[in-house]
Amino acid sequence: MKYLINNRNLFTAITLILMTIMLSPINAETYPKPGDFAKGAQSWADNCSRCHNMRDPKDLRDDQWITTVFHMRMRAGLTGQQTRDIITFLQQSNNKSSQTSEVQKVKIGKNSVSLGLSGKEIYSQTCIACHGANGEGMVPGAPNFPSKNSPLSKSDDELVKNITNGFQTPDSPMAMPAKGGNSALTTQDIKNVLSYIRDNFSQ
């Protein structure tokens, strides 16, 4: 009986400690280091989407996603790096798109130095996790490029703006973040990857 009481007291103490940690304000010292957006999208598709339809990232604030994902880490058997990558994917997807907010527009035209990568390389590093190797989409809401109602029916200017500023298709559960989550992309990089997408996935 004494053993059970001690165990109950220990359990209560641990629970209180964990609740205090979870409810504590997140500051720079406790905030998880940023992960990799593309790997996070892939980890979400591989580990989370089988149980969850893609929730709208705007359902939770960035700090709330941290608590939620770390809670799910144990159930899904995620590594620490996978957890950070998924948090980064959700938080960057949480950025409001140009359709739904007064987001600051990125000027279309000449800007910083290009990454010097081909459209194929950029697609493989930045786009493939959500859009898939065949362009048919890996996560709910990602368009099917080879389909009849593909976004590729739009003009290059419109698509470059959408990629640059982020875009949410009507009725899609999530928005594509600005520059696909890769802030290093320049306008020329975006034009290169768009050309690759058109060449490989247009009907």
Side-chain angles (χ1 to χ4, degrees):
M1 186 70 169
K2 187 176 181 181
Y3 174 78
L4 290 175
I5 293 172
N6 287 340
N7 275 350
R8 188 177 300 144
N9 291 340
L10 178 61
F11 176 77
T12 302
I14 291 172
T15 302
L16 289 172
I17 291 169
L18 289 175
M19 287 180 66
T20 301
I21 292 171
M22 290 176 67
L23 295 174
S24 296
I26 296 173
N27 54 43
E29 295 176 358
T30 60
Y31 207 86
K33 292 181 180 179
D36 183 279
F37 176 89
K39 289 180 180 177
Q42 189 64 57
S43 290
W44 173 276
D46 293 342
N47 298 284
C48 310
S49 61
R50 63 177 177 259
C51 294
H52 302 279
N53 290 325
M54 184 63 202
R55 290 183 64 177
D56 186 338
K58 293 183 288 298
D59 284 351
L60 298 176
R61 298 189 313 261
D62 286 359
D63 59 315
Q64 292 172 326
W65 274 124
I66 294 173
T67 304
T68 302
V69 174
F70 271 96
H71 168 72
M72 291 306 299
R73 172 186 175 182
M74 294 179 285
R75 292 190 176 194
L78 302 173
T79 66
Q81 187 59 57
Q82 285 176 315
T83 304
R84 288 188 292 276
D85 291 342
I86 290 172
I87 289 171
T88 297
F89 165 64
L90 290 168
Q91 289 178 335
Q92 290 188 17
S93 298
N94 203 10
N95 292 342
K96 295 179 180 178
S97 73
S98 58
Q99 266 198 330
T100 58
S101 72
E102 295 300 319
V103 67
Q104 183 178 4
K105 306 289 186 183
V106 179
K107 291 183 179 179
I108 304 300
K110 292 184 179 179
N111 55 4
S112 55
V113 179
S114 167
L115 296 177
L117 301 176
S118 68
K120 181 178 181 179
E121 290 170 323
I122 294 169
Y123 188 86
S124 297
Q125 293 179 17
T126 301
C127 315
I128 197 169
C130 291
H131 291 286
N134 57 9
E136 294 179 359
M138 291 287 290
V139 298
N144 182 352
F145 290 137
S147 70
K148 291 181 180 178
N149 298 323
S150 170
L152 298 180
S153 61
K154 299 177 180 179
S155 70
D156 280 4
D157 286 346
E158 184 175 358
L159 290 176
V160 168
K161 288 179 183 178
N162 289 346
I163 295 169
T164 302
N165 295 305
F167 184 79
Q168 185 161 7
T169 303
D171 300 323
S172 171
M174 66 177 289
M176 178 181 69
K179 298 186 178 183
N182 184 352
S183 60
L185 293 182
T186 66
T187 300
Q188 187 57 54
D189 294 325
I190 291 170
K191 289 179 178 177
N192 290 348
V193 75
L194 177 57
S195 178
Y196 170 79
I197 291 170
R198 284 199 185 282
D199 290 344
N200 287 273
F201 305 129
S202 291
Q203 279 196 332

